[in-house]
Amino acid sequence: MFLLQAPQVRELELFTSMPESLRRRERSDWADANRGGAVTDSFLEGPVFDDAGNLYVTDIPWGRIFRIDPQGAWTLVAEYDGEPNGMKFLDAGTLLITDYKNGLMRLDVATGAVTPYLQRRNSERFKGVNDLIFDSADNLYFTDQGQSGLHDPSGRLYRLRPNGQLDLLLSNVPSPNGVALSPDERVLYLGVTRGNCVWRVPLLPDGSVAKVGQFFTSYGPSGPDGLAVDAEGRVLVANPGLGCVWVLNGRAEPVEVLRGVPGSSTTNLAFGGADGRTLYVTDSTHGHILRAALDVPGLPLHRRGRAGR
């Protein structure tokens, strides 16, 4: 990677850690398949904020959803038979979850009840859905990753329209993961983990995609995971294999690198704080939530029917 100007490098700070009382030091089916059989007490993903400034995260192997208050205190919201990954608010009291085991699921945050939202397409199960985002027109974009990779580039990107129509936009992705939209919503950015890159997906007025290209190329043992976009259109990329977050300008040049401690697995990220200028990052290896103050706020996230943080 040749850079005309070296990026600024800063360290992520620890915001909070999962309490020992919530860690489960047991083997799980998910860890057997995805962590080489290692005992994995938790694997945090899917950070998203509610209107009160509480941070919600998933714990994939144990089917748990946690709420973390602004002071860093943890509360178990739900535990169910699933493998929850990405989350976005459907409305102020309902989270929509991409569940690897079950498809799209809905969580009532007040009661902890988890119910199906979209589990199958044409009676066929998904490979293993991963992440999601709404646009301002109530379209939902989500990735179907499964165990795809360079050996099997069959991961998929879907769009679910408000009328229930499900469009298959891409079916040739080697491990589609995080998704984010440009400020004008004309481009979708797609984390391609096993390809160690981020794709740029133009969204055309007729609903199709064309001239999909490789926007950014990373390196190392595990490529881009979760994505976010700030108000200036910069793309932020959680890179678990490197334990860092890339902050990319419009030419995909890293202008800043936010680093976790050695061994961190920086899997996903969300903007929060009173002014939306604090980036929160899940460190899945250690059960930590990391953070860093930025000079540009995150792009507000949409929900069904209105915009939110």
Side-chain angles (χ1 to χ4, degrees), residues 2 217 288:
F2 173 75
T217 304
H288 297 335

Side-chain angles (χ1 to χ4, degrees), residues 46 50 66 75 80 98 117 126-127 132 150 166 174 198 229 236 269 282-283 289:
D50 67 11
F66 293 99
T75 301
Y80 70 104
T98 43
Y117 188 81
F126 294 106
K127 288 176 173 288
L132 70 168
L150 292 175
L166 185 62
V198 175
V229 173
L236 291 86
L269 61 174
T282 49
D283 171 7
I289 306 296

